[in-house]
Amino acid sequence: MRLTTKGRYAVTAMLDLALHAERGPISLADISKRQDISLSYLEQLFSRLRQSGLVSSVRGPGGGYRLARANADICVAEIIDAVNESVDATSCGGNSDCSAGEQCLTHYLWTDLSRQIHGFLNGISLADMVERADVQEVARRQDGRAASDALDQVVEQKVAIIGGLQ
Amino acid sequence: MRLTTKGRYAVTAMLDLALHAERGPISLADISKRQDISLSYLEQLFSRLRQSGLVSSVRGPGGGYRLARANADICVAEIIDAVNESVDATSCGGNSDCSAGEQCLTHYLWTDLSRQIHGFLNGISLADMVERADVQEVARRQDGRAASDALDQVVEQKVAIIGGLQ
DNA sequence: AAATACCCGACTGGTTTACTCGGCTATATA
DNA sequence: TATATAGCCGAGTAAACCAGTCGGGTATTT
């Protein structure tokens, strides 16, 4: 079992997608800025998310990614699974051949733990997360920062143009 | 968050200790054979388990390891923690500085998950496991195999001695 | 004296993570 | 039609970690 930045990034990016769904396709560059995740790394993750049928893509200017299903139909467990991070806590993958071909002493413990974790992550959908007050608050903060950053960039560009004219 | 062979070995070895406690100190060589775990690797794990005060050691022939506390006072979470595998699912360790110094979108999700896992593994003691029927069955099988292996070894030694006499 | 068994540090091959880089293709807009 | 946008793809890489080996200790019993 493993849960690293990879799986966390994937869930965060998918939630970002869900939060901004009404804007149409969302570019990875936007997600990269808002969530502070490397763009190239996001590309790799979305390659897998697309292969797993969780998102669909639109190419060209104005393009980006969209959720392939409804918010409520995508759960956290699926997302983590899509980027190849297993939530299974057993070493044998449930085959009971963990110790010299036979079931190990602690087999049932890891099976129970896996069930526990899977149950928890399976029970939480993107829709559930979008509705949460704390998520909405963080999203508002991030959107605000993104907007002011965009403004800064416009100002910077104009200054550069003026500089060029002189 | 990470749960690998390391943590699983540690829990398995501790349970083995609990199951054979009445025999006095248990040598790592015994655990190694019964549980099919590399002896040198077990030594590394027990170094940590001893530092964490979960086991005490007896040196010299007939020596080995003993649980430092009662079965019921040692829970799985502690053991995993002792060998440095964290059950924490957040990237920030609960500091809420996960995304550019601020709380990330999915912070609460990983906090909840951590609580969930920790609660589960904290609620299971070695005593709980020892009492389980499936654990007892596996233990019986392992003890039987260990006994027959020991017998095989004695026979082998005697054959070697006879061979030497000829 | 010899055997047992804990103790300790160093080292190693393999895998994974979390990236970067360079170049490609599809599409919208000027 | 040119250009910019943005998805797509493969290769490469430093660092970390896992699982294990090896060699040499030291304490204790027989």
Short mmCIF file of all heavy atoms in Angstrom, two decimals, chain B residues 18-79:
data_model
loop_
_atom_site.label_atom_id
_atom_site.label_comp_id
_atom_site.label_asym_id
_atom_site.label_seq_id
_atom_site.Cartn_x
_atom_site.Cartn_y
_atom_site.Cartn_z
N ALA B 18 4.31 -12.86 20.67
CA ALA B 18 3.17 -12.95 21.59
C ALA B 18 2.65 -14.39 21.67
O ALA B 18 2.29 -14.87 22.74
CB ALA B 18 2.07 -12.01 21.12
N LEU B 19 2.65 -15.08 20.53
CA LEU B 19 2.10 -16.44 20.48
C LEU B 19 2.99 -17.44 21.22
O LEU B 19 2.51 -18.46 21.71
CB LEU B 19 1.94 -16.88 19.02
CG LEU B 19 0.73 -16.30 18.27
CD1 LEU B 19 0.91 -16.42 16.76
CD2 LEU B 19 -0.56 -16.98 18.71
N HIS B 20 4.30 -17.15 21.27
CA HIS B 20 5.21 -18.12 21.87
C HIS B 20 5.82 -17.59 23.17
O HIS B 20 6.86 -18.08 23.62
CB HIS B 20 6.32 -18.47 20.88
CG HIS B 20 5.81 -19.06 19.61
ND1 HIS B 20 5.60 -18.34 18.47
CD2 HIS B 20 5.41 -20.34 19.31
CE1 HIS B 20 5.12 -19.12 17.51
NE2 HIS B 20 5.00 -20.34 17.99
N ALA B 21 5.15 -16.63 23.76
CA ALA B 21 5.68 -15.94 24.94
C ALA B 21 5.99 -16.92 26.07
O ALA B 21 6.99 -16.76 26.78
CB ALA B 21 4.69 -14.88 25.40
N GLU B 22 5.16 -17.93 26.22
CA GLU B 22 5.32 -18.83 27.37
C GLU B 22 6.61 -19.66 27.31
O GLU B 22 7.05 -20.22 28.30
CB GLU B 22 4.08 -19.74 27.52
CG GLU B 22 4.03 -20.94 26.60
CD GLU B 22 3.70 -20.57 25.15
OE1 GLU B 22 3.38 -19.38 24.87
OE2 GLU B 22 3.76 -21.47 24.30
N ARG B 23 7.24 -19.69 26.12
CA ARG B 23 8.49 -20.45 25.99
C ARG B 23 9.71 -19.68 26.48
O ARG B 23 10.84 -20.13 26.33
CB ARG B 23 8.75 -20.80 24.52
CG ARG B 23 7.69 -21.69 23.89
CD ARG B 23 8.17 -22.17 22.53
NE ARG B 23 7.06 -22.78 21.79
CZ ARG B 23 7.15 -23.16 20.52
NH1 ARG B 23 8.29 -22.96 19.86
NH2 ARG B 23 6.14 -23.72 19.91
N GLY B 24 9.48 -18.47 27.00
CA GLY B 24 10.62 -17.64 27.39
C GLY B 24 11.08 -16.83 26.20
O GLY B 24 10.36 -16.72 25.21
N PRO B 25 12.31 -16.25 26.27
CA PRO B 25 12.79 -15.43 25.17
C PRO B 25 12.81 -16.22 23.87
O PRO B 25 13.20 -17.39 23.86
CB PRO B 25 14.21 -15.04 25.59
CG PRO B 25 14.43 -15.58 26.94
CD PRO B 25 13.25 -16.32 27.38
N ILE B 26 12.41 -15.55 22.78
CA ILE B 26 12.34 -16.20 21.46
C ILE B 26 13.46 -15.65 20.60
O ILE B 26 13.61 -14.43 20.48
CB ILE B 26 10.99 -15.89 20.80
CG1 ILE B 26 9.82 -16.30 21.71
CG2 ILE B 26 10.88 -16.57 19.45
CD1 ILE B 26 9.73 -17.77 21.97
N SER B 27 14.23 -16.52 19.99
CA SER B 27 15.34 -16.05 19.15
C SER B 27 14.82 -15.61 17.78
O SER B 27 13.81 -16.12 17.28
CB SER B 27 16.36 -17.16 18.98
OG SER B 27 15.86 -18.14 18.09
N LEU B 28 15.53 -14.65 17.20
CA LEU B 28 15.16 -14.19 15.86
C LEU B 28 15.29 -15.32 14.85
O LEU B 28 14.56 -15.35 13.85
CB LEU B 28 16.04 -13.00 15.46
CG LEU B 28 15.84 -11.73 16.29
CD1 LEU B 28 16.62 -10.57 15.66
CD2 LEU B 28 14.36 -11.36 16.38
N ALA B 29 16.22 -16.25 15.11
CA ALA B 29 16.40 -17.38 14.19
C ALA B 29 15.10 -18.18 14.11
O ALA B 29 14.69 -18.61 13.02
CB ALA B 29 17.55 -18.27 14.66
N ASP B 30 14.44 -18.38 15.25
CA ASP B 30 13.16 -19.10 15.27
C ASP B 30 12.10 -18.36 14.46
O ASP B 30 11.42 -18.94 13.63
CB ASP B 30 12.65 -19.25 16.72
CG ASP B 30 13.39 -20.35 17.47
OD1 ASP B 30 14.30 -20.97 16.87
OD2 ASP B 30 13.06 -20.59 18.65
N ILE B 31 12.00 -17.07 14.73
CA ILE B 31 11.00 -16.25 14.01
C ILE B 31 11.29 -16.28 12.52
O ILE B 31 10.40 -16.43 11.69
CB ILE B 31 11.02 -14.80 14.53
CG1 ILE B 31 10.69 -14.77 16.03
CG2 ILE B 31 10.03 -13.94 13.76
CD1 ILE B 31 10.70 -13.38 16.63
N SER B 32 12.58 -16.15 12.19
CA SER B 32 13.00 -16.16 10.80
C SER B 32 12.52 -17.41 10.09
O SER B 32 11.98 -17.35 8.98
CB SER B 32 14.53 -16.08 10.74
OG SER B 32 14.98 -16.33 9.43
N LYS B 33 12.69 -18.59 10.74
CA LYS B 33 12.26 -19.85 10.13
C LYS B 33 10.75 -19.93 10.04
O LYS B 33 10.19 -20.23 8.99
CB LYS B 33 12.79 -21.02 10.98
CG LYS B 33 14.22 -21.42 10.62
CD LYS B 33 14.68 -22.59 11.49
CE LYS B 33 16.10 -22.33 12.02
NZ LYS B 33 16.31 -22.83 13.39
N ARG B 34 10.09 -19.66 11.15
CA ARG B 34 8.63 -19.81 11.18
C ARG B 34 7.95 -18.86 10.21
O ARG B 34 7.02 -19.23 9.50
CB ARG B 34 8.10 -19.53 12.60
CG ARG B 34 8.01 -20.74 13.48
CD ARG B 34 7.14 -20.46 14.70
NE ARG B 34 7.69 -19.40 15.54
CZ ARG B 34 8.46 -19.63 16.60
NH1 ARG B 34 8.78 -20.85 16.95
NH2 ARG B 34 8.92 -18.63 17.32
N GLN B 35 8.42 -17.62 10.17
CA GLN B 35 7.71 -16.61 9.39
C GLN B 35 8.34 -16.35 8.02
O GLN B 35 7.87 -15.51 7.26
CB GLN B 35 7.61 -15.30 10.18
CG GLN B 35 7.00 -15.46 11.56
CD GLN B 35 5.64 -16.11 11.52
OE1 GLN B 35 4.91 -16.03 10.52
NE2 GLN B 35 5.26 -16.79 12.61
N ASP B 36 9.43 -17.05 7.74
CA ASP B 36 10.08 -16.92 6.44
C ASP B 36 10.52 -15.47 6.18
O ASP B 36 10.20 -14.88 5.15
CB ASP B 36 9.11 -17.40 5.35
CG ASP B 36 9.83 -17.74 4.05
OD1 ASP B 36 10.95 -18.26 4.13
OD2 ASP B 36 9.27 -17.47 2.97
N ILE B 37 11.24 -14.94 7.15
CA ILE B 37 11.76 -13.57 7.05
C ILE B 37 13.27 -13.65 7.24
O ILE B 37 13.75 -14.38 8.11
CB ILE B 37 11.15 -12.66 8.15
CG1 ILE B 37 9.62 -12.65 8.07
CG2 ILE B 37 11.70 -11.25 8.05
CD1 ILE B 37 8.96 -11.93 9.22
N SER B 38 14.00 -12.89 6.43
CA SER B 38 15.47 -12.88 6.53
C SER B 38 15.92 -12.49 7.94
O SER B 38 15.45 -11.51 8.51
CB SER B 38 16.04 -11.90 5.51
OG SER B 38 17.13 -11.18 6.06
N LEU B 39 16.86 -13.28 8.48
CA LEU B 39 17.33 -13.05 9.85
C LEU B 39 17.95 -11.66 10.01
O LEU B 39 17.65 -10.95 10.96
CB LEU B 39 18.34 -14.14 10.23
CG LEU B 39 19.00 -14.02 11.61
CD1 LEU B 39 17.96 -13.99 12.71
CD2 LEU B 39 19.98 -15.16 11.83
N SER B 40 18.81 -11.28 9.06
CA SER B 40 19.48 -9.98 9.16
C SER B 40 18.47 -8.83 9.12
O SER B 40 18.63 -7.82 9.81
CB SER B 40 20.48 -9.81 8.02
OG SER B 40 21.43 -10.84 8.05
N TYR B 41 17.47 -9.04 8.31
CA TYR B 41 16.45 -7.99 8.20
C TYR B 41 15.68 -7.89 9.52
O TYR B 41 15.38 -6.79 10.00
CB TYR B 41 15.51 -8.31 7.04
CG TYR B 41 14.74 -7.12 6.54
CD1 TYR B 41 15.31 -5.87 6.46
CD2 TYR B 41 13.41 -7.27 6.13
CE1 TYR B 41 14.59 -4.78 5.99
CE2 TYR B 41 12.70 -6.19 5.66
CZ TYR B 41 13.28 -4.95 5.59
OH TYR B 41 12.57 -3.88 5.12
N LEU B 42 15.37 -9.05 10.11
CA LEU B 42 14.69 -9.06 11.41
C LEU B 42 15.52 -8.31 12.46
O LEU B 42 14.97 -7.57 13.28
CB LEU B 42 14.47 -10.50 11.88
CG LEU B 42 13.19 -11.20 11.41
CD1 LEU B 42 13.15 -12.63 11.93
CD2 LEU B 42 11.96 -10.44 11.88
N GLU B 43 16.83 -8.51 12.41
CA GLU B 43 17.71 -7.83 13.37
C GLU B 43 17.55 -6.31 13.27
O GLU B 43 17.46 -5.62 14.28
CB GLU B 43 19.17 -8.21 13.13
CG GLU B 43 19.51 -9.60 13.61
CD GLU B 43 20.96 -9.94 13.40
OE1 GLU B 43 21.64 -9.25 12.61
OE2 GLU B 43 21.43 -10.92 14.01
N GLN B 44 17.49 -5.83 12.03
CA GLN B 44 17.30 -4.39 11.84
C GLN B 44 15.97 -3.92 12.42
O GLN B 44 15.89 -2.90 13.08
CB GLN B 44 17.33 -4.06 10.35
CG GLN B 44 18.71 -4.04 9.76
CD GLN B 44 18.67 -3.75 8.28
OE1 GLN B 44 18.03 -2.79 7.84
NE2 GLN B 44 19.33 -4.57 7.49
N LEU B 45 14.93 -4.69 12.14
CA LEU B 45 13.61 -4.31 12.63
C LEU B 45 13.56 -4.33 14.17
O LEU B 45 13.02 -3.42 14.79
CB LEU B 45 12.54 -5.24 12.05
CG LEU B 45 12.42 -5.24 10.52
CD1 LEU B 45 11.34 -6.22 10.07
CD2 LEU B 45 12.12 -3.85 10.00
N PHE B 46 14.16 -5.36 14.75
CA PHE B 46 14.11 -5.47 16.22
C PHE B 46 14.98 -4.43 16.90
O PHE B 46 14.73 -4.07 18.05
CB PHE B 46 14.46 -6.89 16.66
CG PHE B 46 13.25 -7.77 16.71
CD1 PHE B 46 12.72 -8.32 15.54
CD2 PHE B 46 12.58 -8.01 17.91
CE1 PHE B 46 11.58 -9.10 15.57
CE2 PHE B 46 11.44 -8.80 17.95
CZ PHE B 46 10.94 -9.35 16.77
N SER B 47 15.97 -3.94 16.19
CA SER B 47 16.75 -2.85 16.74
C SER B 47 15.84 -1.65 17.01
O SER B 47 15.89 -1.02 18.07
CB SER B 47 17.85 -2.49 15.76
OG SER B 47 18.42 -1.25 16.09
N ARG B 48 14.97 -1.39 16.03
CA ARG B 48 14.01 -0.29 16.18
C ARG B 48 12.94 -0.59 17.23
O ARG B 48 12.53 0.27 18.00
CB ARG B 48 13.34 0.01 14.85
CG ARG B 48 14.28 0.68 13.84
CD ARG B 48 13.51 0.99 12.58
NE ARG B 48 14.36 1.54 11.54
CZ ARG B 48 14.63 2.85 11.42
NH1 ARG B 48 14.13 3.71 12.27
NH2 ARG B 48 15.41 3.27 10.45
N LEU B 49 12.47 -1.83 17.22
CA LEU B 49 11.42 -2.21 18.16
C LEU B 49 11.94 -2.10 19.61
O LEU B 49 11.19 -1.72 20.51
CB LEU B 49 10.94 -3.63 17.88
CG LEU B 49 10.20 -3.84 16.54
CD1 LEU B 49 9.95 -5.31 16.26
CD2 LEU B 49 8.88 -3.07 16.53
N ARG B 50 13.22 -2.41 19.77
CA ARG B 50 13.81 -2.31 21.10
C ARG B 50 13.97 -0.85 21.51
O ARG B 50 13.66 -0.46 22.63
CB ARG B 50 15.16 -3.01 21.12
CG ARG B 50 15.68 -3.33 22.52
CD ARG B 50 16.89 -4.22 22.44
NE ARG B 50 17.91 -3.58 21.59
CZ ARG B 50 18.92 -2.86 22.06
NH1 ARG B 50 19.07 -2.67 23.36
NH2 ARG B 50 19.80 -2.33 21.24
N GLN B 51 14.43 -0.03 20.54
CA GLN B 51 14.59 1.40 20.82
C GLN B 51 13.27 2.06 21.18
O GLN B 51 13.22 3.02 21.95
CB GLN B 51 15.19 2.11 19.60
CG GLN B 51 16.71 1.96 19.48
CD GLN B 51 17.21 2.36 18.10
OE1 GLN B 51 16.74 3.34 17.51
NE2 GLN B 51 18.15 1.60 17.56
N SER B 52 12.19 1.53 20.63
CA SER B 52 10.87 2.09 20.91
C SER B 52 10.28 1.50 22.19
O SER B 52 9.14 1.81 22.55
CB SER B 52 9.93 1.82 19.74
OG SER B 52 10.42 2.40 18.57
N GLY B 53 11.01 0.61 22.83
CA GLY B 53 10.54 0.06 24.08
C GLY B 53 9.42 -0.95 23.95
O GLY B 53 8.67 -1.18 24.90
N LEU B 54 9.31 -1.58 22.79
CA LEU B 54 8.26 -2.58 22.61
C LEU B 54 8.73 -3.98 22.98
O LEU B 54 7.92 -4.84 23.32
CB LEU B 54 7.75 -2.56 21.15
CG LEU B 54 6.99 -1.31 20.73
CD1 LEU B 54 6.61 -1.39 19.25
CD2 LEU B 54 5.74 -1.14 21.57
N VAL B 55 10.03 -4.21 22.87
CA VAL B 55 10.58 -5.52 23.25
C VAL B 55 11.82 -5.32 24.11
O VAL B 55 12.42 -4.25 24.11
CB VAL B 55 10.97 -6.35 21.99
CG1 VAL B 55 9.77 -6.65 21.12
CG2 VAL B 55 12.04 -5.62 21.17
N SER B 56 12.18 -6.38 24.86
CA SER B 56 13.45 -6.38 25.59
C SER B 56 14.23 -7.61 25.16
O SER B 56 13.64 -8.59 24.71
CB SER B 56 13.20 -6.39 27.09
OG SER B 56 12.52 -7.58 27.44
N SER B 57 15.54 -7.54 25.26
CA SER B 57 16.36 -8.63 24.73
C SER B 57 17.12 -9.36 25.82
O SER B 57 17.41 -8.79 26.88
CB SER B 57 17.34 -8.07 23.71
OG SER B 57 18.23 -7.18 24.34
N VAL B 58 17.44 -10.61 25.56
CA VAL B 58 18.28 -11.41 26.45
C VAL B 58 19.40 -11.97 25.60
O VAL B 58 19.11 -12.65 24.60
CB VAL B 58 17.47 -12.57 27.07
CG1 VAL B 58 18.36 -13.40 27.99
CG2 VAL B 58 16.26 -12.05 27.82
N ARG B 59 20.63 -11.67 25.94
CA ARG B 59 21.75 -12.11 25.13
C ARG B 59 22.24 -13.49 25.55
O ARG B 59 21.88 -14.00 26.61
CB ARG B 59 22.88 -11.09 25.20
CG ARG B 59 22.44 -9.71 24.77
CD ARG B 59 23.57 -8.72 24.79
NE ARG B 59 24.51 -8.97 23.71
CZ ARG B 59 25.36 -8.06 23.25
NH1 ARG B 59 25.38 -6.86 23.77
NH2 ARG B 59 26.18 -8.36 22.28
N GLY B 60 23.07 -14.06 24.69
CA GLY B 60 23.66 -15.37 25.00
C GLY B 60 22.76 -16.52 24.61
O GLY B 60 21.61 -16.32 24.22
N PRO B 61 23.28 -17.75 24.74
CA PRO B 61 22.51 -18.94 24.37
C PRO B 61 21.21 -19.02 25.16
O PRO B 61 21.19 -18.69 26.35
CB PRO B 61 23.45 -20.08 24.77
CG PRO B 61 24.80 -19.49 24.82
CD PRO B 61 24.63 -18.05 25.19
N GLY B 62 20.17 -19.43 24.49
CA GLY B 62 18.87 -19.48 25.13
C GLY B 62 18.21 -18.12 25.20
O GLY B 62 17.10 -17.97 25.70
N GLY B 63 18.92 -17.11 24.68
CA GLY B 63 18.39 -15.75 24.73
C GLY B 63 17.42 -15.48 23.60
O GLY B 63 16.98 -16.41 22.91
N GLY B 64 17.08 -14.22 23.44
CA GLY B 64 16.14 -13.84 22.40
C GLY B 64 15.41 -12.59 22.80
O GLY B 64 15.94 -11.75 23.55
N TYR B 65 14.19 -12.46 22.31
CA TYR B 65 13.41 -11.25 22.61
C TYR B 65 12.13 -11.61 23.35
O TYR B 65 11.55 -12.69 23.16
CB TYR B 65 13.06 -10.50 21.33
CG TYR B 65 14.23 -9.76 20.73
CD1 TYR B 65 15.03 -10.36 19.76
CD2 TYR B 65 14.54 -8.47 21.13
CE1 TYR B 65 16.10 -9.69 19.20
CE2 TYR B 65 15.62 -7.78 20.58
CZ TYR B 65 16.39 -8.40 19.62
OH TYR B 65 17.45 -7.73 19.08
N ARG B 66 11.68 -10.68 24.16
CA ARG B 66 10.43 -10.77 24.89
C ARG B 66 9.64 -9.49 24.66
O ARG B 66 10.26 -8.44 24.47
CB ARG B 66 10.74 -10.87 26.38
CG ARG B 66 10.42 -12.19 27.01
CD ARG B 66 10.46 -12.04 28.53
NE ARG B 66 11.82 -12.15 29.07
CZ ARG B 66 12.32 -13.30 29.56
NH1 ARG B 66 11.58 -14.39 29.55
NH2 ARG B 66 13.54 -13.33 30.05
N LEU B 67 8.34 -9.57 24.72
CA LEU B 67 7.54 -8.35 24.68
C LEU B 67 7.81 -7.56 25.96
O LEU B 67 7.89 -8.14 27.04
CB LEU B 67 6.05 -8.69 24.60
CG LEU B 67 5.60 -9.42 23.32
CD1 LEU B 67 4.11 -9.72 23.39
CD2 LEU B 67 5.93 -8.60 22.09
N ALA B 68 7.95 -6.26 25.82
CA ALA B 68 8.26 -5.43 26.99
C ALA B 68 7.01 -5.09 27.79
O ALA B 68 7.08 -4.70 28.94
CB ALA B 68 8.96 -4.15 26.55
N ARG B 69 5.85 -5.28 27.15
CA ARG B 69 4.58 -4.97 27.83
C ARG B 69 3.60 -6.12 27.63
O ARG B 69 3.89 -7.06 26.89
CB ARG B 69 3.97 -3.70 27.24
CG ARG B 69 4.58 -2.44 27.78
CD ARG B 69 3.85 -1.24 27.22
NE ARG B 69 4.58 -0.65 26.09
CZ ARG B 69 4.01 -0.02 25.08
NH1 ARG B 69 2.68 0.08 25.02
NH2 ARG B 69 4.74 0.51 24.13
N ALA B 70 2.46 -6.01 28.28
CA ALA B 70 1.44 -7.03 28.12
C ALA B 70 0.88 -6.99 26.69
O ALA B 70 0.83 -5.93 26.07
CB ALA B 70 0.31 -6.81 29.12
N ASN B 71 0.52 -8.17 26.19
CA ASN B 71 -0.14 -8.32 24.88
C ASN B 71 -1.15 -7.22 24.59
O ASN B 71 -1.16 -6.64 23.51
CB ASN B 71 -0.96 -9.61 24.89
CG ASN B 71 -0.12 -10.81 24.52
OD1 ASN B 71 1.02 -10.64 24.11
ND2 ASN B 71 -0.69 -11.98 24.66
N ALA B 72 -2.02 -7.02 25.57
CA ALA B 72 -3.15 -6.12 25.38
C ALA B 72 -2.72 -4.65 25.32
O ALA B 72 -3.48 -3.79 24.90
CB ALA B 72 -4.18 -6.32 26.49
N ASP B 73 -1.48 -4.39 25.75
CA ASP B 73 -0.99 -3.00 25.80
C ASP B 73 -0.15 -2.62 24.59
O ASP B 73 0.46 -1.55 24.56
CB ASP B 73 -0.16 -2.79 27.08
CG ASP B 73 -1.05 -2.49 28.27
OD1 ASP B 73 -2.28 -2.38 28.06
OD2 ASP B 73 -0.53 -2.38 29.39
N ILE B 74 -0.06 -3.51 23.62
CA ILE B 74 0.70 -3.20 22.41
C ILE B 74 -0.23 -3.27 21.22
O ILE B 74 -0.80 -4.32 20.93
CB ILE B 74 1.86 -4.20 22.22
CG1 ILE B 74 2.81 -4.15 23.42
CG2 ILE B 74 2.62 -3.88 20.93
CD1 ILE B 74 3.95 -5.13 23.36
N CYS B 75 -0.40 -2.14 20.54
CA CYS B 75 -1.31 -2.15 19.40
C CYS B 75 -0.52 -2.06 18.09
O CYS B 75 0.64 -1.66 18.05
CB CYS B 75 -2.33 -1.02 19.50
SG CYS B 75 -1.60 0.59 19.37
N VAL B 76 -1.18 -2.46 17.04
CA VAL B 76 -0.56 -2.57 15.73
C VAL B 76 0.03 -1.23 15.26
O VAL B 76 1.12 -1.19 14.70
CB VAL B 76 -1.58 -3.10 14.70
CG1 VAL B 76 -0.99 -3.13 13.31
CG2 VAL B 76 -2.06 -4.49 15.10
N ALA B 77 -0.70 -0.16 15.52
CA ALA B 77 -0.24 1.16 15.09
C ALA B 77 1.14 1.48 15.65
O ALA B 77 2.01 2.01 14.94
CB ALA B 77 -1.25 2.23 15.50
N GLU B 78 1.34 1.15 16.92
CA GLU B 78 2.63 1.41 17.57
C GLU B 78 3.76 0.67 16.89
O GLU B 78 4.88 1.20 16.74
CB GLU B 78 2.57 0.92 19.02
CG GLU B 78 2.07 1.91 20.03
CD GLU B 78 2.12 1.28 21.40
OE1 GLU B 78 1.39 0.29 21.65
OE2 GLU B 78 2.91 1.76 22.23
N ILE B 79 3.49 -0.57 16.52
CA ILE B 79 4.53 -1.42 15.91
C ILE B 79 4.95 -0.84 14.57
O ILE B 79 6.14 -0.71 14.26
CB ILE B 79 4.02 -2.86 15.73
CG1 ILE B 79 3.65 -3.45 17.09
CG2 ILE B 79 5.05 -3.72 15.03
CD1 ILE B 79 2.95 -4.79 17.02
#
